[in-house]
Amino acid sequence: MTNSNILIINMKNLKLFLLPLIYLTIIFGGTPLQSPSQFLGYELGDKFTFHHDAVDYFEHVSTVSKHVELIPYGETYEGRPLIVSVITHPNNKESVESIRKNHLIASGLMEGEKTKNPLSVVWLSYSVHGNESSSMEAAIKTLHTFADINNAEQMKWLEKVVLMIDPCINPDGRDRYANFHRTTANVIPDVDVKTWEHREPWPDGRTNHYYHDLNRDWSWQTQKESQHRLKLYKKWMPHIHVDYHEQSYNNPYYFAPAVEPYHELITPWQREFQKTIGNNNAKYFDEQQLLYFTNEDFDLLYPGYGDTYPTYNGAIGMTYEKGGGSSAGVAIKTSSSDTLTLQDRLDHHYLTGLATVEATYQNSERVVKEFQTFFKTANSIQSEKYKTYIISNDNHKNKLNDFTDLLDLNGIKYGRLIKKTQMVNNAFAYESGEKESIKVMVEDILISTKQNMSVLTQVLFEPQTAVSDTLTYDITAWSLPYAYGLKAFATEKELLIQEYVSPIAPTHLEFLESGDYGILAKWGSLNALKFLADLLKNKVVVRVAEKSFTHNDINYDPGALFISPQGNEHLGKTLYKIIRTAAMKHNPDLVSISTGKSSKGIDLGSFNFRVVKSPRIAVLNGDGVSGGNFGEIWHYFEQQIEYPISVFNSSDFKSIPFDDLDVLILPNGSYGFLKTEVSPSAQVKKETSASMLIKQSPPPVLLNWVNRGGRLVVIGSAMKKFVDQKGYGLVKYESEVAKKEAKKNDEKQQLAERGKKYSDRKRKKLIDNTYGSIVKVEMDKSHPLAFGYNDQYFALKLEKTLYPLLPKGWNVGTLKDPDSHIAGFMGHRIKKKIQNNLMFGVHEAKKGSIIYIADNLLFRSFWYNGKLLLGNAVFIVGK
Ligand SMILES: [Zn+2]
């Protein structure tokens, strides 16, 4: 790395370092700008910098450099600070705030008069995946280069560019990796990938504290880090955004342009400028004879990424991937027998950062102009397809509130009809998938595609993802009306909309007073679930209706909660305080009542009200368990419904105090540790076959506990472990029709196989794949597992393993129709097989039950409508 212009400047700086420092110190008496190595006490690349040290350096730079401003924007779940540095030209007299406003005004995103020609805003985000860890080191080096006013070239670029550097999007994961590596690394790095310092243990540092992938969370903002960052992002709306990553250490470097599929709404300019930047990156890489590739592997579709989300917000959003990652350590021997060092990795990321700023500087006027055009188009030209999305006011008010919260986070505007009502023909109904004539009411929520967030709105609402190719990196369906389980429509008609007032809160502000008969609360919203969790946490005994009834002219579906002073004597007067506090906090749909007599259906003293007491709930994590799904469950209990959950590591499985547990959740996973060890005497007898020493069935302790009254919740791939196991009631997919079909397919496939092309191998795999499509599930809503749901539930189908209906259990949610596939990509072979399969079921085993949930309900924590079902599983289902 010696013949780059950028680096020559840098080397010069090092040599000339002392002179300006002394000069500055003498003149101003201030602290001089220190290089990273002076500040940290080691050369970048020697080891992984801890996050707090990087933050200290960023603070130091902003303290001594007048043109660098540090913006703290929040903190992580583990309490680490989140920061961005904004770098402007040293001669700039304007405040960062007025530069920002001027940029927004010029882009049409803010009202007002622009004061001068706007600058281009480049935002570089590093280390979103904590164990792709060279990029935070690159951020430190990049900051220093732009902070040092002696770097004439970079100072020239700052005349037209404002640079924003977020050194680490995911500090918790980054430090998890840095801690691991600092703990295990040899003084002289061992380059053998099989050695300890290259083998990051479970859980790795890719994700945040709750094992959520922050590079899947931009559009949903389920995690604290994303919520804080997006607030700042939306305030700035940069022209260019780069998300820094690492890929396998044998792959050299990937930068834009991305490969197909692109979402069809990505503009020609966005496609073109990715290439311009990519060409400038390539120029520097060519000069140093470095390897790289573009236009392969990384597409632009799913909206949760750090490249797509900025793209749907008008920016040029890009992913850069250096070879490295978790196993690369400080130095590693690659497959081509080169040694790849941390120094190389950070230098190459540094190089693309500089090249990106330079390319933006060279095209600044065009960058600014095209960004303006993006929003002008969004506000003036109607989408060719649906022009208005209609969310019916029939949906639960609490659900509508949570839904509009998500729109607010994304800056998507919504409103109401100007007229009182309006008939609309040929509206697409999400629930039926048919065109219907509907009457739009003034109370409905309307979202127009003519707004700043036009593209993002279309991407999030369109029933079918508009995709140029099916060979994608991620899920292909996420349409919000399905994810939220909303009665909703899409119309090609433009409806006139006025500004929206938020829905009225449903709580009746009367609470149980001593002397009242009790409280009734409707079931069916996340608010009701949070309310129940709060009561149970406080040891309140709650009754759940198993049948519907009418009380005081209000209709209650099964699942309604009844809280009576009877059975809660142990709480004395605090019962009323607990209910009041929980109701104020969670806003459920409740009413205080004065009689136990219903006007229709069951009375409140009926045996059809089942008593629910606070359960002790546990979940497994560790080797053999999916960290992601465990994290979603952990986050659900701790951050969403705020109910205590005990976490047991798989290595401690044998010491789990089963008798103290009411519920055990098994997340997705391979569960290799769940096997029965045969006693030594048995081993002697069966010695002939070594494979028989270990039975691949779950240990008896688990089924014994269920039979004694335990509730086992088995999710997604964890179900494989229980197929055809005695006592668990789950059987293999093997209907006669299916067998015949499979045979026919196999024969046909064998013939077809002979003509297969090597280059099609990735595409071939897709025929059995269903990763991330939407399916329609028929619900037996009379079963407690489905309380609060409608006859249909739209699920995200992630697992390709299918299960037949439970022969002896309750098949609560099933894929009934052959046309259960609703949206997104599903391979043609699996499409033929999805009829009559189990999605949600309950097998009753003596005193306890086993609840099967065939696909992860909490996927990335964004599938809102699945959350209540897990609540039913852990609190409501009983025997
Ligand atoms: Zn990554």
Side-chain angles (χ1 to χ4, degrees), residues 201-204 207 210-211 618-634 645-653 656 664-675 702 712-719 721-722 799 856:
W202 193 102
D204 61 36
T207 49
Y210 283 108
Y211 308 121
V619 61
L620 280 190
N621 75 2
D623 275 329
V625 180
S626 149
N629 192 204
F630 158 69
E632 286 149 1
I633 293 163
W634 196 23
I645 184 157
S646 298
V647 180
F648 293 98
N649 193 280
S650 55
S651 61
D652 298 324
F653 185 79
I656 292 177
L664 175 64
I665 304 174
L666 305 184
N668 274 330
S670 57
Y671 289 86
F673 61 92
L674 274 191
K675 54 196 171 195
L702 201 56
L712 185 66
V713 181
V714 187
I715 297 175
S717 55
M719 280 169 64
K721 204 77 203 171
F722 297 92
E799 298 288 328
N856 176 10

Side-chain angles (χ1 to χ4, degrees), residues 129 132 206 245-246 321:
H129 290 149
E132 297 169 10
R206 175 183 176 88
H245 291 259
E246 286 184 326
E321 303 258 357

Side-chain angles (χ1 to χ4, degrees), residues 129-265:
H129 290 149
N131 60 2
E132 297 169 10
S133 44
S134 72
S135 74
M136 191 182 83
E137 314 291 337
I140 296 170
K141 183 167 174 174
T142 309
L143 176 78
H144 177 244
T145 298
F146 282 93
D148 187 346
I149 55 173
N150 299 306
N151 289 330
E153 190 72 10
Q154 280 71 44
M155 296 309 113
K156 188 178 84 187
W157 300 344
L158 290 175
E159 286 169 10
K160 293 184 181 179
V161 174
V162 182
L163 177 60
M164 302 183 70
I165 298 181
D166 185 334
C168 188
I169 287 186
N170 175 19
D172 293 348
R174 178 61 171 62
D175 265 1
R176 201 152 69 232
Y177 179 78
N179 271 318
F180 151 73
H181 197 269
R182 288 249 197 142
T183 311
T184 55
N186 282 0
V187 174
I188 299 166
D190 193 327
V191 297
D192 183 349
V193 69
K194 297 222 165 60
T195 57
W196 193 29
E197 62 194 82
H198 299 282
R199 313 281 284 192
E200 193 188 8
W202 193 102
D204 61 36
R206 175 183 176 88
T207 49
N208 75 345
H209 172 77
Y210 283 108
Y211 308 121
H212 278 63
D213 186 332
L214 297 178
N215 190 35
R216 304 289 185 275
D217 193 44
W218 281 69
S219 39
W220 322 125
Q221 298 163 53
T222 69
Q223 301 301 295
K224 214 173 164 181
E225 292 87 352
S226 314
Q227 288 158 10
H228 292 317
R229 187 180 67 258
L230 263 298
K231 231 184 209 168
L232 187 68
Y233 184 94
K234 290 279 183 180
K235 257 181 94 174
W236 272 91
M237 294 293 283
H239 296 102
I240 314 288
H241 180 263
V242 182
D243 203 35
Y244 277 92
H245 291 259
E246 286 184 326
Q247 55 190 340
S248 155
Y249 62 87
N250 287 319
N251 293 348
Y253 201 105
Y254 161 80
F255 47 75
V259 71
E260 298 286 344
Y262 281 23
H263 193 283
E264 66 175 16
L265 292 172

Side-chain angles (χ1 to χ4, degrees), residues 463-478:
Q464 291 286 351
T465 307
V467 54
S468 56
D469 189 356
T470 48
L471 192 63
T472 172
Y473 201 72
D474 210 291
I475 63 171
T476 50
W478 46 77

Side-chain angles (χ1 to χ4, degrees), residues 453-467:
M453 288 297 120
S454 174
V455 170
L456 186 63
T457 300
Q458 293 176 65
V459 170
L460 295 182
F461 280 86
E462 61 195 2
Q464 291 286 351
T465 307
V467 54

